[in-house]
Amino acid sequence: MADNMEEIKKATTSAQGIQARFQLGFGQSAKTHFELDVEIAIPGQGITAIFGESGSGKTSLLRCIAGLEKNACGCLHVNGELWQDAAVFVPTHKRSLGYVFQEASLFEYLTAMGNLRYAIKRNNQTTNPELLEQVIGVMGIAGILSQLPEALSGGERQRVAIARALLSQPKLLLMDEPLASLDTARKLEILPYLERLRNSFNIPILYVSHAVDEIVRLADHAVIMAQGKVIAQGGITQLFSRADLSLGVSNEVGAILECKVMERDKQWHLMRVAFNGGELWLPNVENKQNTTQRIRVLASDVSLTLTPHTDSSILNVLSGEIQEIINDQDPAMSLVRLKVGESYLLARLTQKSLQKLALTLGKSVWIQIKSAAIVR
Amino acid sequence: MSLTDGDMATIWLTLRLATTVTILLLIFATPVAWWLATTKSWFKGPMSAIVALPLVLPPTVLGFYLLLAMGPNGAIGQFTQALGLGTLPFTFWGLVVASMVYSLPFVVQPIQNSIEAIGNRPLEAAATLGAGPIDRFFTVVLPLAKPGFMTATILGFAHTVGEFGIVLMIGGSIPGETRVVSVQIYDHVEALEYAQAHALSGVMIVFSFVVLLMLYTFQRKRKAVGMTYGR
C-alpha cells in the first residue's frame, strides 16, 4: 500500500487532485465506539470509488470531506485549495462541492426546476444556459422539471438531485451510494446516466458504494476501506487483480482488464480484443464509439491446465505464471493470482486440484477463460 | 342585545393587543425555539421548563411578579424609567409585555416541534449547495416549519385574546388603554348588565370556535399532504 500511496501522490501534484487525512471518533462506550483514521490521495479527475462493507466508514469519510463532520481533525486539499487543516475549517457552504445523498434529499416544497435554481443561485459563478440545458439533457429530466418531488419516482428524484449537485458547478462531486435506496430496475435506469455524467463533465467524483458491479462499471480508481481505515487504494485494474483483498463476496471476485478492440468477426459474431499481455475473443458488441473495453474475468470462470488443450471448447487460452496463492474463506477453495504479460488474472480453484497439478509459485500454466463480461 | 361603543372599543383594543403580541412573539420566540430544537446544552431542560411555566402557573401569580418587576422598584421598572418611558403597569405596553410572557409557550412549542421535525438532512443538503446559515434559515427552515409557524400564530393570537387574570393584575380596566373584552365582560356582570355580557360573550364564543376550527382544518390538511411522501 505504501508504494501505491507514493505512486498516487506523484501522479497527483499539489495543484491537482485531492489529498485528505482525517481522524474522527464516535460513541463513548467501547461497544459503540467507532474511529475513522484515513489518509487518501485521489487524482483530480475521473471517478474514484470508496468501497467497503457497511460500517467501514465510507460515508463518514465523505462527510468529513464535505465539512459536515465538525469534529473531524485532519487536513484536506482539493485541487490545490486548502479546505481544512489544524487552523482552517472552510464551512460546507463555502466549499465548492456537490453532494448526492443516499436519499435524493430534494426540497419537497420546490419543483424539480426550483431545486435546480436553488443550486444555480448559490454557485457564485455565471451559469450559462447551455450548461443548464446540458445537465438537464444528460440527466434526462427535461419532462419532469415542473413537478414537485413528491410526484416523482425514486429514480427521477435521484436524477434531479444529481443535476442539482452538478449545477452548483463544483470542483468535486461527492456521491454517497446514490443507488442504494433504489430497486434493481431503478439502478439499471440510473447507471447509464452516471456513465454519461462521467463522460460529459470533467469533475472528479468520489463515489461511495458497497456494490462491486457499480464500481467496476464506473470507477477508474478506488479506495478500499474496512473498520474506519484505508486498506488499499489505487487504480481499479490493479486493485481488482489482487488476491489478498477479496473484494466483494467470493463469487464476485474477479480481475479487470482494459482491452482494445482489434478486430470484429462478422461470421461468428465475435471480436478480438488485446490487453497488456494477450488477446481474447469475446462476443461482439456493436459499440462504435468504444474502441476500448473494460473486461471483467471472474475468478470462478478461470481454470488452469499444465498443457495446452486443443480438444477443449474453451476459446480463450493464455499462458501465464503463478504469482500468489491465497486460501479462500471456503476451506475447499483457494484463490490464485496469475501474471499474464503485464496484466493479472485471478483463478478460484479447489485445494484438491492445486495439489493434484502440483501448482506452486512461479510455475507456468495454461489459463482457460470460460467467460468474460464486458463491463464498460 | 347589541354592542355598545364601549364594547366595540374593547374589541378593537383586544385585537390590537393580540396582533401586537403575536408579531412580537413570533420575532422573539423563533430564536428561542430554534435554540431549544437544536441545542445539546444541559441548559435545554431548565430553559424548556421556564418557557412552559405559564402553562401551569395561575395568571395571578405571573401577574403579581410582573407587577412587582415592572413597578417603580422592580428591575424592568428601573430599566424603563431609565429609558424615560415611565413604568409599564396599567398601560397598553405593560399588557403587551405581560401577554408575551403568558402566551410564550403557545408560540415557542409549535415552532420548536416543527423545527425538530425537519432534521439535519435538508439543512446539510442546502449547505452543500452553497447556502450559508441565514440563507438556510429563510430558504429551508421557514418553508419546512411553516405549519409550526401557522399553529404558533393562531394559538398565540387566540390565547392572548382569551386572557383575563393577568390583564386584571397588570392592566386593570382603563378604557381604550387596558380594558380588553374579557375585562369588559367581567365589568358588565359586576354591574348586572347581563344583556351586554351575553352579547360580548357570544362574540368570544364564535371567535374562539372559528379560530379552533381553522387550526384543526389546517392541521388535518397538512397531515394529508404529509402522507404522500415519496413513491
Side-chain angles (χ1 to χ4, degrees):
Chain A
M1 187 194 136
D3 49 313
N4 291 341
M5 198 69 193
E6 289 310 309
E7 200 179 292
I8 297 162
K9 270 186 179 159
K10 249 183 271 163
T12 62
T13 61
S14 61
Q16 271 296 309
I18 297 125
Q19 295 88 29
R21 184 163 44 79
F22 284 112
Q23 273 150 351
L24 178 65
F26 289 110
Q28 300 300 321
S29 71
K31 209 174 163 190
T32 59
H33 188 73
F34 173 80
E35 207 177 278
L36 182 76
D37 186 358
V38 295
E39 181 171 0
I40 56 169
I42 293 161
Q45 57 191 11
I47 297 186
T48 300
I50 300 177
F51 177 79
E53 289 167 11
S54 310
S56 58
K58 310 182 295 283
T59 298
S60 300
L61 172 59
L62 216 58
R63 290 177 58 83
C64 284
I65 292 172
L68 293 171
E69 294 293 345
K70 307 263 182 316
N71 298 325
C73 341
C75 67
L76 172 63
H77 291 263
V78 174
N79 287 338
E81 259 178 50
L82 174 68
W83 282 9
Q84 188 173 342
D85 68 9
V88 177
F89 185 94
V90 178
T92 302
H93 66 275
K94 294 201 173 129
R95 299 184 182 196
S96 174
L97 56 84
Y99 200 118
V100 179
F101 295 88
Q102 237 179 72
E103 317 79 33
S105 306
L106 298 175
F107 301 122
E108 299 285 328
Y109 48 92
L110 298 175
T111 61
M113 189 63 202
N115 272 277
L116 301 188
R117 279 208 201 94
Y118 195 94
I120 293 170
K121 257 188 220 162
R122 288 163 180 80
N123 66 14
N124 289 327
Q125 293 158 67
T126 47
T127 306
N128 53 30
E130 291 94 73
L131 176 72
L132 177 61
E133 216 167 277
Q134 188 195 5
V135 169
I136 290 171
V138 167
M139 286 297 133
I141 52 173
I144 55 173
L145 287 175
S146 60
Q147 308 260 28
L148 282 172
E150 64 186 29
L152 303 177
S153 73
E156 289 168 335
R157 291 160 69 92
Q158 202 56 280
R159 270 149 56 196
V160 173
I162 296 169
R164 184 177 69 171
L166 283 172
L167 285 168
S168 39
Q169 301 197 35
K171 294 205 169 86
L172 173 63
L173 183 58
L174 307 169
M175 304 182 94
D176 184 8
E177 306 210 34
L179 307 185
S181 61
L182 305 174
D183 56 40
T184 312
R186 297 274 164 249
K187 268 183 205 171
L188 293 176
E189 171 199 316
I190 290 207
L191 268 168
Y193 292 102
L194 293 179
E195 290 181 325
R196 281 158 69 181
L197 162 68
R198 182 194 59 217
N199 301 334
S200 312
F201 301 95
N202 190 22
I203 305 172
I205 300 172
L206 278 185
Y207 187 95
V208 164
S209 180
H210 64 262
V212 172
D213 54 338
E214 286 171 30
I215 289 175
V216 297
R217 194 162 155 183
L218 295 171
D220 311 300
H221 285 79
V223 173
I224 318 290
M225 291 187 68
Q227 283 152 3
K229 301 215 160 30
V230 172
I231 55 172
Q233 54 185 323
I236 197 105
T237 6
Q238 178 228 341
L239 284 176
F240 271 80
S241 68
R242 276 173 63 173
D244 57 328
L245 290 174
S246 56
L247 302 172
V249 288
S250 53
N251 62 6
E252 282 182 321
V253 173
I256 292 172
L257 299 171
E258 300 286 354
C259 299
K260 216 174 155 179
V261 178
M262 306 302 285
E263 164 191 357
R264 292 180 196 269
D265 185 331
K266 291 275 177 327
Q267 187 192 351
W268 300 110
H269 306 285
L270 292 173
M271 62 178 180
R272 183 166 62 91
V273 299
F275 63 94
N276 203 351
E279 290 185 342
L280 295 171
W281 284 98
L282 300 172
N284 190 17
V285 280
E286 280 307 334
N287 195 337
K288 288 198 180 60
Q289 73 250 43
N290 267 18
T291 52
T292 60
Q293 308 270 355
R294 178 179 287 178
I295 312 286
R296 184 155 169 239
V297 183
L298 291 179
S300 51
D301 286 335
V302 176
S303 59
L304 303 183
T305 60
L306 294 177
T307 51
H309 287 210
T310 47
D311 56 349
S312 159
S313 67
I314 304 261
L315 197 57
N316 292 308
V317 180
L318 302 161
S319 83
E321 189 180 277
I322 295 180
Q323 273 261 313
E324 198 177 354
I325 301 174
I326 300 249
N327 289 333
D328 201 86
Q329 292 126 309
D330 182 343
M333 308 301 285
S334 57
L335 202 57
V336 177
R337 188 182 197 221
L338 305 151
K339 189 168 197 276
V340 185
E342 295 300 308
S343 303
Y344 295 92
L345 285 170
L346 294 175
R348 196 157 179 260
L349 310 174
T350 60
Q351 300 268 16
K352 191 179 176 184
S353 321
L354 213 61
Q355 181 137 45
K356 200 174 85 185
L357 300 183
L359 298 177
T360 50
L361 295 186
K363 190 158 185 140
S364 292
V365 289
W366 294 94
I367 303 161
Q368 295 187 323
I369 297 169
K370 199 174 161 212
S371 79
I374 297 157
V375 289
R376 136 175 164 195
Chain B
M1 200 173 95
S2 63
L3 298 173
T4 64
D5 287 350
D7 290 341
M8 287 310 289
T10 61
I11 290 178
W12 285 122
L13 181 71
T14 306
L15 292 180
R16 189 156 74 95
L17 175 69
T19 309
T20 312
V21 167
T22 307
I23 291 168
L24 289 177
L25 262 185
L26 283 174
I27 295 167
F28 174 74
T30 303
V32 176
W34 172 264
W35 185 82
L36 283 173
T38 53
T39 185
K40 292 185 177 81
S41 158
W42 65 271
F43 197 60
K44 177 179 176 170
M47 189 65 187
S48 304
I50 291 170
V51 168
L53 267 183
L55 289 175
V56 293
L57 280 181
T60 44
V61 173
L62 276 180
F64 173 59
Y65 283 116
L66 279 170
L67 193 59
L68 291 183
M70 297 196 295
N73 299 319
I76 302 172
Q78 301 270 337
F79 178 67
T80 51
Q81 281 171 318
L83 291 178
L85 300 170
T87 51
L88 290 174
F90 310 108
T91 65
F92 176 75
W93 288 102
L95 263 197
V96 169
V97 172
S99 304
M100 281 177 65
V101 173
Y102 184 49
S103 297
L104 184 66
F106 292 87
V107 179
V108 168
Q109 286 179 357
I111 298 176
Q112 182 189 341
N113 290 341
S114 62
I115 290 176
E116 279 169 357
I118 294 173
N120 265 336
R121 179 50 56 78
L123 293 167
E124 288 183 352
T128 65
L129 295 168
I134 295 168
D135 190 0
R136 293 202 287 275
F137 179 79
F138 284 104
T139 59
V140 179
V141 175
L142 273 192
L144 284 175
K146 205 166 83 186
F149 280 97
M150 292 293 282
T151 306
T153 307
I154 294 171
L155 283 181
F157 188 89
H159 190 248
T160 306
V161 168
E163 71 184 41
F164 172 69
I166 205 162
V167 178
L168 218 55
M169 296 290 286
I170 296 288
S173 178
I174 304 164
E177 179 80 15
T178 63
R179 188 184 288 171
V180 296
V181 173
S182 55
V183 174
Q184 176 81 338
I185 294 170
Y186 180 77
D187 288 347
H188 281 320
V189 174
E190 284 245 289
L192 299 176
E193 297 162 355
Y194 278 21
Q196 296 298 324
H198 263 307
L200 265 186
S201 299
V203 169
M204 286 294 275
I205 288 177
V206 171
F207 166 79
S208 305
F209 178 77
V210 169
V211 164
L212 290 176
L213 188 65
M214 267 166 59
L215 184 67
Y216 289 120
T217 315
F218 175 72
Q219 280 181 346
R220 210 186 49 210
K221 241 195 255 161
R222 285 301 309 181
K223 213 173 265 172
V225 169
M227 293 301 280
T228 62
Y229 185 82
R231 225 202 295 165

